[in-house]
Amino acid sequence: MATAGRAVLVSGAIIVLSLASLLIFPQIFLRSMGLGGSAAVLGAALGALTVLPALLAILGPRINALRIPLPRTHATAPGQGWARSRTPSCAARSAP
């Protein structure tokens, strides 16, 4: 558990402890949110620390064996899409 594992462990522990602070309030819904949130974060952190490394070790170099079909995007002309937001007409309306 080098740098990434330690980061997951510390961030998960901080979030669990901060959500567990909701347990001190007398309202039932706050206690429920604290317990549910803590359990969800604890499960995700434990999964990230145990299941994910084991799965990556099992798959090894076959991790990229399957191709994920992505929708093809066509290249847009220079005056379309995000390029249009950088035109002088948009820049003229911007705040100084």
Short mmCIF file of all heavy atoms in Angstrom, two decimals, residues 61-91:
data_model
loop_
_atom_site.label_atom_id
_atom_site.label_comp_id
_atom_site.label_asym_id
_atom_site.label_seq_id
_atom_site.Cartn_x
_atom_site.Cartn_y
_atom_site.Cartn_z
N PRO A 61 -1.84 -8.55 -17.99
CA PRO A 61 -1.78 -7.87 -19.29
C PRO A 61 -3.06 -7.99 -20.11
O PRO A 61 -3.24 -7.30 -21.10
CB PRO A 61 -0.62 -8.56 -20.00
CG PRO A 61 -0.45 -9.86 -19.31
CD PRO A 61 -0.92 -9.66 -17.91
N ARG A 62 -3.99 -8.85 -19.67
CA ARG A 62 -5.25 -9.00 -20.40
C ARG A 62 -6.24 -7.90 -20.07
O ARG A 62 -7.37 -7.92 -20.52
CB ARG A 62 -5.88 -10.35 -20.07
CG ARG A 62 -5.06 -11.52 -20.59
CD ARG A 62 -5.69 -12.80 -20.19
NE ARG A 62 -5.63 -12.90 -18.72
CZ ARG A 62 -6.29 -13.78 -18.00
NH1 ARG A 62 -7.10 -14.62 -18.58
NH2 ARG A 62 -6.17 -13.82 -16.69
N ILE A 63 -5.83 -6.92 -19.27
CA ILE A 63 -6.74 -5.85 -18.87
C ILE A 63 -7.24 -5.07 -20.08
O ILE A 63 -8.37 -4.58 -20.10
CB ILE A 63 -6.05 -4.91 -17.85
CG1 ILE A 63 -7.04 -3.92 -17.24
CG2 ILE A 63 -4.93 -4.13 -18.47
CD1 ILE A 63 -7.84 -4.49 -16.14
N ASN A 64 -6.44 -4.98 -21.12
CA ASN A 64 -6.83 -4.25 -22.32
C ASN A 64 -7.24 -5.17 -23.46
O ASN A 64 -7.23 -4.77 -24.62
CB ASN A 64 -5.68 -3.35 -22.78
CG ASN A 64 -5.43 -2.22 -21.84
OD1 ASN A 64 -6.36 -1.69 -21.24
ND2 ASN A 64 -4.17 -1.83 -21.68
N ALA A 65 -7.62 -6.40 -23.15
CA ALA A 65 -7.96 -7.37 -24.19
C ALA A 65 -9.25 -7.01 -24.92
O ALA A 65 -9.35 -7.17 -26.14
CB ALA A 65 -8.06 -8.77 -23.60
N LEU A 66 -10.24 -6.54 -24.19
CA LEU A 66 -11.51 -6.19 -24.82
C LEU A 66 -11.51 -4.75 -25.27
O LEU A 66 -11.01 -3.87 -24.59
CB LEU A 66 -12.67 -6.42 -23.84
CG LEU A 66 -12.91 -7.86 -23.42
CD1 LEU A 66 -14.02 -7.91 -22.40
CD2 LEU A 66 -13.26 -8.70 -24.62
N ARG A 67 -12.11 -4.54 -26.43
CA ARG A 67 -12.20 -3.19 -26.96
C ARG A 67 -13.56 -2.63 -26.59
O ARG A 67 -14.59 -3.27 -26.81
CB ARG A 67 -12.05 -3.20 -28.48
CG ARG A 67 -12.06 -1.84 -29.08
CD ARG A 67 -11.89 -1.93 -30.60
NE ARG A 67 -12.01 -0.63 -31.19
CZ ARG A 67 -13.16 -0.04 -31.50
NH1 ARG A 67 -14.28 -0.67 -31.27
NH2 ARG A 67 -13.19 1.15 -32.03
N ILE A 68 -13.57 -1.45 -26.03
CA ILE A 68 -14.82 -0.79 -25.68
C ILE A 68 -15.25 0.06 -26.86
O ILE A 68 -14.54 0.98 -27.26
CB ILE A 68 -14.66 0.07 -24.42
CG1 ILE A 68 -14.22 -0.80 -23.26
CG2 ILE A 68 -15.95 0.81 -24.11
CD1 ILE A 68 -13.88 -0.02 -22.02
N PRO A 69 -16.42 -0.23 -27.45
CA PRO A 69 -16.85 0.55 -28.60
C PRO A 69 -17.29 1.96 -28.17
O PRO A 69 -18.19 2.13 -27.36
CB PRO A 69 -18.03 -0.25 -29.16
CG PRO A 69 -18.53 -1.02 -28.01
CD PRO A 69 -17.36 -1.29 -27.13
N LEU A 70 -16.62 2.94 -28.71
CA LEU A 70 -16.95 4.33 -28.41
C LEU A 70 -17.59 4.95 -29.64
O LEU A 70 -17.23 4.60 -30.78
CB LEU A 70 -15.69 5.11 -28.03
CG LEU A 70 -14.98 4.63 -26.77
CD1 LEU A 70 -13.69 5.40 -26.58
CD2 LEU A 70 -15.88 4.82 -25.57
N PRO A 71 -18.50 5.87 -29.45
CA PRO A 71 -19.10 6.53 -30.62
C PRO A 71 -18.06 7.38 -31.33
O PRO A 71 -17.24 8.05 -30.71
CB PRO A 71 -20.21 7.39 -30.02
CG PRO A 71 -19.84 7.56 -28.60
CD PRO A 71 -19.07 6.35 -28.21
N ARG A 72 -18.09 7.31 -32.64
CA ARG A 72 -17.13 8.08 -33.42
C ARG A 72 -17.57 9.53 -33.48
O ARG A 72 -18.73 9.83 -33.73
CB ARG A 72 -17.00 7.52 -34.83
CG ARG A 72 -16.34 6.18 -34.85
CD ARG A 72 -16.05 5.78 -36.28
NE ARG A 72 -15.23 4.61 -36.27
CZ ARG A 72 -14.00 4.59 -36.75
NH1 ARG A 72 -13.49 5.65 -37.30
NH2 ARG A 72 -13.29 3.49 -36.70
N THR A 73 -16.63 10.40 -33.26
CA THR A 73 -16.91 11.82 -33.39
C THR A 73 -16.14 12.34 -34.60
O THR A 73 -14.98 12.02 -34.80
CB THR A 73 -16.48 12.58 -32.13
OG1 THR A 73 -15.08 12.36 -31.92
CG2 THR A 73 -17.25 12.09 -30.91
N HIS A 74 -16.81 13.12 -35.39
CA HIS A 74 -16.16 13.70 -36.55
C HIS A 74 -15.52 15.01 -36.17
O HIS A 74 -16.03 15.76 -35.33
CB HIS A 74 -17.20 13.92 -37.66
CG HIS A 74 -17.85 12.64 -38.10
ND1 HIS A 74 -17.18 11.67 -38.79
CD2 HIS A 74 -19.11 12.17 -37.92
CE1 HIS A 74 -18.00 10.65 -39.03
NE2 HIS A 74 -19.19 10.94 -38.51
N ALA A 75 -14.42 15.28 -36.79
CA ALA A 75 -13.73 16.54 -36.53
C ALA A 75 -14.60 17.70 -36.97
O ALA A 75 -15.16 17.69 -38.06
CB ALA A 75 -12.38 16.56 -37.24
N THR A 76 -14.72 18.69 -36.11
CA THR A 76 -15.55 19.83 -36.45
C THR A 76 -14.73 20.87 -37.20
O THR A 76 -13.52 20.94 -37.09
CB THR A 76 -16.14 20.47 -35.18
OG1 THR A 76 -15.05 20.87 -34.34
CG2 THR A 76 -17.02 19.48 -34.44
N ALA A 77 -15.43 21.66 -37.95
CA ALA A 77 -14.78 22.75 -38.68
C ALA A 77 -14.30 23.79 -37.67
O ALA A 77 -14.77 23.84 -36.54
CB ALA A 77 -15.76 23.36 -39.66
N PRO A 78 -13.38 24.66 -38.06
CA PRO A 78 -12.83 25.63 -37.11
C PRO A 78 -13.87 26.57 -36.51
O PRO A 78 -13.67 27.08 -35.42
CB PRO A 78 -11.83 26.43 -37.96
CG PRO A 78 -11.46 25.52 -39.06
CD PRO A 78 -12.66 24.67 -39.33
N GLY A 79 -14.99 26.77 -37.15
CA GLY A 79 -15.98 27.69 -36.61
C GLY A 79 -17.12 27.01 -35.89
O GLY A 79 -18.17 27.61 -35.67
N GLN A 80 -16.95 25.75 -35.49
CA GLN A 80 -18.03 25.02 -34.84
C GLN A 80 -17.58 24.53 -33.46
O GLN A 80 -16.40 24.46 -33.17
CB GLN A 80 -18.45 23.81 -35.68
CG GLN A 80 -19.05 24.18 -37.00
CD GLN A 80 -19.36 22.94 -37.81
OE1 GLN A 80 -18.88 21.86 -37.51
NE2 GLN A 80 -20.18 23.10 -38.85
N GLY A 81 -18.55 24.17 -32.64
CA GLY A 81 -18.25 23.59 -31.34
C GLY A 81 -17.63 24.59 -30.39
O GLY A 81 -18.03 25.75 -30.31
N TRP A 82 -16.61 24.13 -29.66
CA TRP A 82 -15.96 24.98 -28.67
C TRP A 82 -15.17 26.10 -29.32
O TRP A 82 -14.93 27.13 -28.69
CB TRP A 82 -15.04 24.16 -27.78
CG TRP A 82 -15.78 23.29 -26.83
CD1 TRP A 82 -15.97 21.95 -26.94
CD2 TRP A 82 -16.46 23.70 -25.65
NE1 TRP A 82 -16.73 21.50 -25.90
CE2 TRP A 82 -17.04 22.55 -25.09
CE3 TRP A 82 -16.64 24.91 -25.02
CZ2 TRP A 82 -17.77 22.59 -23.92
CZ3 TRP A 82 -17.37 24.95 -23.86
CH2 TRP A 82 -17.93 23.80 -23.32
N ALA A 83 -14.74 25.91 -30.54
CA ALA A 83 -13.97 26.96 -31.22
C ALA A 83 -14.82 28.22 -31.40
O ALA A 83 -14.29 29.33 -31.43
CB ALA A 83 -13.47 26.46 -32.56
N ARG A 84 -16.13 28.05 -31.51
CA ARG A 84 -17.01 29.19 -31.70
C ARG A 84 -17.00 30.11 -30.48
O ARG A 84 -17.22 31.31 -30.59
CB ARG A 84 -18.41 28.70 -31.99
CG ARG A 84 -19.35 29.76 -32.43
CD ARG A 84 -20.66 29.20 -32.84
NE ARG A 84 -20.97 27.97 -32.10
CZ ARG A 84 -22.04 27.25 -32.27
NH1 ARG A 84 -22.93 27.61 -33.14
NH2 ARG A 84 -22.26 26.16 -31.58
N SER A 85 -16.75 29.57 -29.29
CA SER A 85 -16.76 30.41 -28.09
C SER A 85 -15.57 31.34 -28.02
O SER A 85 -15.55 32.26 -27.21
CB SER A 85 -16.80 29.53 -26.84
OG SER A 85 -15.58 28.83 -26.72
N ARG A 86 -14.58 31.14 -28.84
CA ARG A 86 -13.38 31.99 -28.84
C ARG A 86 -13.40 33.02 -29.97
O ARG A 86 -12.40 33.67 -30.22
CB ARG A 86 -12.13 31.13 -28.97
CG ARG A 86 -12.01 30.04 -27.93
CD ARG A 86 -11.97 30.55 -26.52
NE ARG A 86 -10.79 31.34 -26.33
CZ ARG A 86 -10.57 32.13 -25.30
NH1 ARG A 86 -11.47 32.24 -24.38
NH2 ARG A 86 -9.48 32.82 -25.20
N THR A 87 -14.51 33.17 -30.62
CA THR A 87 -14.58 34.13 -31.73
C THR A 87 -14.69 35.55 -31.20
O THR A 87 -15.09 35.77 -30.05
CB THR A 87 -15.78 33.82 -32.63
OG1 THR A 87 -16.97 33.90 -31.84
CG2 THR A 87 -15.66 32.45 -33.27
N PRO A 88 -14.37 36.54 -32.02
CA PRO A 88 -14.44 37.93 -31.56
C PRO A 88 -15.85 38.37 -31.14
O PRO A 88 -15.99 39.21 -30.28
CB PRO A 88 -13.97 38.73 -32.77
CG PRO A 88 -13.15 37.79 -33.56
CD PRO A 88 -13.74 36.43 -33.32
N SER A 89 -16.90 37.77 -31.71
CA SER A 89 -18.26 38.18 -31.33
C SER A 89 -18.54 37.83 -29.87
O SER A 89 -19.19 38.57 -29.14
CB SER A 89 -19.29 37.56 -32.24
OG SER A 89 -19.26 36.16 -32.11
N CYS A 90 -18.05 36.66 -29.43
CA CYS A 90 -18.22 36.30 -28.02
C CYS A 90 -17.31 37.13 -27.13
O CYS A 90 -17.67 37.49 -26.02
CB CYS A 90 -17.95 34.82 -27.81
SG CYS A 90 -19.25 33.77 -28.41
N ALA A 91 -16.11 37.38 -27.58
CA ALA A 91 -15.17 38.16 -26.79
C ALA A 91 -15.65 39.58 -26.64
O ALA A 91 -15.36 40.24 -25.64
CB ALA A 91 -13.79 38.11 -27.43
#
